[in-house]
C-alpha cells in the first residue's frame, strides 16, 4: 500500500439514532435568541428539561471553564450543545462520504461525535477535547448512546497528526485564524468546516477545500456564533491614552446592519485585528465600541444630535479606519456575503472577493 492510500472500508451499517437528550446534563443553562436565558433542571422540572433538549436551542453546559456554577447564567460560556439547526448546517457542508475519516475539533457534549460515528462508524471518527472533565463526561454519554469513537485529550489547534491524513475536519468551536495544522492533516480535496469568528462583529461557517500545495480555499456560508477555541482567546488590552474628540456624518448603525453580514466579511478582511461590538440603548441611542491591541474608539449616535460623537485613542484612529473600510465595500457595489472567500496558507489567512486572485488587502 502506498503512503496515504486508504485501506479498504467495510460497508457502513444503517445509522443508529443519536438521541440528543442523552448528551444534555441534568442541569444546564439555556440561551434562546428571542428571550432571556433560564436554567433547566431535570429533577425539578423534567418536562421542561426534555422539551428544551429537543428544541432548536443552544444549551450551555459549562461556564468559565467549569469555575462558575450554571445557576444564574453569569459567566463566559465555554461549552455547549449547539442548536440542532446549526449542527445540521455544519454537517451538510462537511458532506462526508462512506468510509471517510473525520477529525473533530471540540468534543464538547459528544453529540456531534455521536452523529458522525452513526454516519461513518466509530473507527472513522477521531474527536479532540482540551478539557478533561468535558471529555470524561462525553465518553460516558457516548457509551450510553452506543458509540465508541476515538476520543483524544489535547489542544485541537494542533490537530491529531498520528491519525492523519483525514478526509474531513469538523470544527465545533469558533476560530479567528484557521490553524495550518488542520490543512496539513487533511488529504488533497478534503474539506474543513469551521465557525469563523472574526474580531469584527459576527461569525460565519466557512467551508475550505484543501488544494494540496499547503493551501485551503473556500467560501462563507450561514451566520453562526460559537465559543472560541481556547488557544485563540484574548483579553482586551487596557489603553491609557487620552481620547481625541471628533464627529462623523456616517451613521454607525448603518455600518453594522448592512447586507446581512457581507460588510462583516469585508471589514474583517480589511481590518483583521480590529474588534467591534455595538449596543442599542434607550431613546433610540446607539453605541459602537472598537479596539485593537494598541488603540480603541467609541462612537455614539443620539437622535437629537446632528453630529455623531467619536472618541479615539492610541496610535490608530480605528473609527476612521472602519469608516474607510465600510465605504470601500460600498464602492465595490456592496457585494453580498456569498461573493467572499478565504484562503489559508502556511503564512496565515486572507480574504478575497469573487476569486482567490482578488485578495482583499489589509488596511
Amino acid at each position: 500500500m502506498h503512503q496515504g492510500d486508504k485501506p479498504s472500508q467495510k460497508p457502513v451499517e444503517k445509522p443508529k439514532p443519536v438521541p440528543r437528550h442523552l448528551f444534555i446534563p441534568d442541569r444546564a443553562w439555556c440561551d434562546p435568541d428571542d428571550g432571556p436565558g433560564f436554567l433547566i433542571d431535570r429533577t425539578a422540572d423534567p418536562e421542561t428539561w426534555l422539551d428544551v433538549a429537543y428544541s432548536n436551542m443552544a444549551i450551555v453546559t459549562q461556564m468559565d471553564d467549569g469555575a462558575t456554577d450554571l445557576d444564574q447564567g453569569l459567566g463566559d460560556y465555554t461549552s455547549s450543545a449547539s442548536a440542532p439547526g446549526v449542527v445540521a448546517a455544519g454537517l451538510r457542508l462537511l458532506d462526508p462520504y462512506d468510509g471517510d475519516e473525520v477529525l473533530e475539533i471540540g468534543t464538547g457534549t459528544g453529540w456531534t461525535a455521536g452523529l458522525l460515528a452513526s454516519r461513518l462508524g466509530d473507527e472513522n471518527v477521531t474527536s479532540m477535547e482540551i478539557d478533561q472533565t468535558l471529555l470524561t463526561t462525553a465518553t460516558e454519554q457516548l457509551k450510553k448512546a452506543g458509540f465508541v469513537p476515538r476520543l483524544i485529550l489535547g489542544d485541537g489547534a494542533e490537530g491529531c497528526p498520528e491519525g492523519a491524513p483525514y478526509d474531513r475536519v469538523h470544527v465545533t468551536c469558533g476560530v479567528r485564524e484557521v490553524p495550518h495544522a488542520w490543512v496539513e492533516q487533511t488529504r488533497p480535496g478534503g474539506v474543513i468546516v469551521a465557525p469563523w469568528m472574526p474580531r469584527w462583529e459576527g461569525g460565519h461557517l466557512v467551508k475550505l477545500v484543501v488544494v494540496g500545495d499547503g493551501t485551503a480555499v473556500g467560501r462563507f456560508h450561514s451566520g453562526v456564533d460559537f465559543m472560541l477555541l481556547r488557544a485563540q482567546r484574548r483579553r482586551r488590552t487596557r489603553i491609557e491614552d487620552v481620547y481625541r474628540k471628533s464627529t462623523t456624518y456616517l451613521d454607525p448603525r448603518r455600518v453594522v446592519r448592512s447586507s446581512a453580514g457581507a460588510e462583516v466579511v469585508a471589514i474583517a478582511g480589511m481590518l483583521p485585528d480590529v474588534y467591534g461590538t455595538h449596543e442599542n440603548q434607550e431613546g433610540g441611542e446607539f453605541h459602537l465600541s472598537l479596539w485593537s491591541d494598541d488603540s480603541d474608539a467609541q462612537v455614539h449616535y443620539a437622535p437629537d444630535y446632528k453630529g455623531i460623537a467619536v472618541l479615539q485613542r492610541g496610535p490608530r484612529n480605528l473609527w476612521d479606519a472602519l469608516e474607510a473600510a465600510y465605504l470601500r465595500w460600498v464602492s465595490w457595489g456592496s457585494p453580498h456575503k456569498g461573493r467572499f472567500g478565504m484562503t489559508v496558507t502556511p503564512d496565515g489567512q486572507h480574504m478575497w472577493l469573487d476569486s482567490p486572485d482578488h485578495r482583499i488587502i489589509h488596511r
Side-chain angles (χ1 to χ4, degrees), residues 88-330:
L91 292 177
R92 279 194 296 269
L93 290 175
L94 196 71
D95 189 26
Y97 304 159
D98 290 351
D100 271 357
E101 298 170 34
V102 177
L103 172 63
E104 180 179 63
I105 306 298
T107 309
T109 65
W111 186 50
T112 54
L115 292 170
L116 290 166
S118 176
R119 169 68 178 83
L120 300 167
D122 292 329
E123 69 279 4
N124 288 328
V125 178
T126 298
S127 184
M128 297 190 68
E129 174 58 57
I130 196 170
D131 187 301
Q132 179 65 75
T133 300
L134 293 177
L135 188 66
T136 298
T137 302
T139 301
E140 295 169 353
Q141 291 169 163
L142 282 161
K143 286 181 178 178
K144 288 180 182 178
F147 300 101
V148 286
R150 183 187 184 202
L151 302 181
I152 303 291
L153 178 67
D155 185 351
E158 300 174 0
C160 185
E162 58 266 30
Y166 303 96
D167 301 281
R168 297 289 191 270
V169 176
H170 178 245
V171 184
T172 70
C173 49
V175 292
R176 301 203 193 282
E177 289 86 26
V178 176
H180 194 257
W182 301 349
V183 179
E184 294 174 335
Q185 295 170 27
T186 303
R187 296 177 184 277
V191 169
I192 301 167
V193 174
W196 179 61
M197 301 291 295
R199 291 166 179 81
W200 181 243
E201 295 193 349
H204 308 272
L205 284 175
V206 61
K207 177 178 180 179
L208 301 167
V209 179
V210 175
V211 177
D213 61 353
T215 65
V217 181
R219 292 184 182 271
F220 299 103
H221 297 269
S222 55
V224 292
D225 186 10
F226 274 71
M227 302 160 199
L228 279 175
L229 184 75
R230 290 195 186 183
Q232 295 188 8
R233 294 179 189 169
R234 300 232 12 217
R235 293 196 176 274
R236 184 170 177 175
T237 304
R238 184 176 180 86
I239 309 296
E240 301 291 349
D241 291 353
V242 176
Y243 280 115
R244 299 177 294 277
K245 298 180 181 180
S246 62
T247 59
T248 181
Y249 286 109
L250 176 62
D251 190 334
R253 299 173 301 171
R254 202 166 300 279
V255 175
V256 301
R257 296 176 183 171
S258 299
S259 190
E263 83 295 341
V264 171
V265 177
I267 289 169
M270 288 182 274
L271 303 173
D273 64 334
V274 175
Y275 297 79
T277 60
H278 71 270
E279 179 184 9
N280 294 300
Q281 301 177 335
E282 293 183 3
E285 296 190 12
F286 178 89
H287 192 83
L288 173 65
S289 293
L290 307 170
W291 69 94
S292 65
D293 285 344
D294 61 1
S295 304
D296 74 51
Q298 308 296 324
V299 184
H300 193 82
Y301 166 86
D304 57 350
Y305 183 60
K306 291 184 179 180
I308 297 165
V310 178
L311 300 174
Q312 302 182 96
R313 62 182 175 181
R316 300 169 64 194
N317 289 325
L318 294 186
W319 168 253
D320 295 352
L322 174 61
E323 188 176 66
Y326 171 78
L327 294 175
R328 187 178 177 210
W329 171 71
V330 171

Side-chain angles (χ1 to χ4, degrees), residues 51-101:
D51 285 345
V52 170
Y54 285 101
S55 69
N56 189 29
M57 189 186 306
I59 303 174
V60 179
T61 59
Q62 186 193 71
M63 291 186 184
D64 296 326
D65 298 331
T68 301
D69 192 275
L70 295 167
D71 279 359
Q72 303 298 320
L74 300 176
D76 291 331
Y77 301 166
T78 50
S79 187
S80 72
S82 298
V86 173
V87 172
L91 292 177
R92 279 194 296 269
L93 290 175
L94 196 71
D95 189 26
Y97 304 159
D98 290 351
D100 271 357
E101 298 170 34

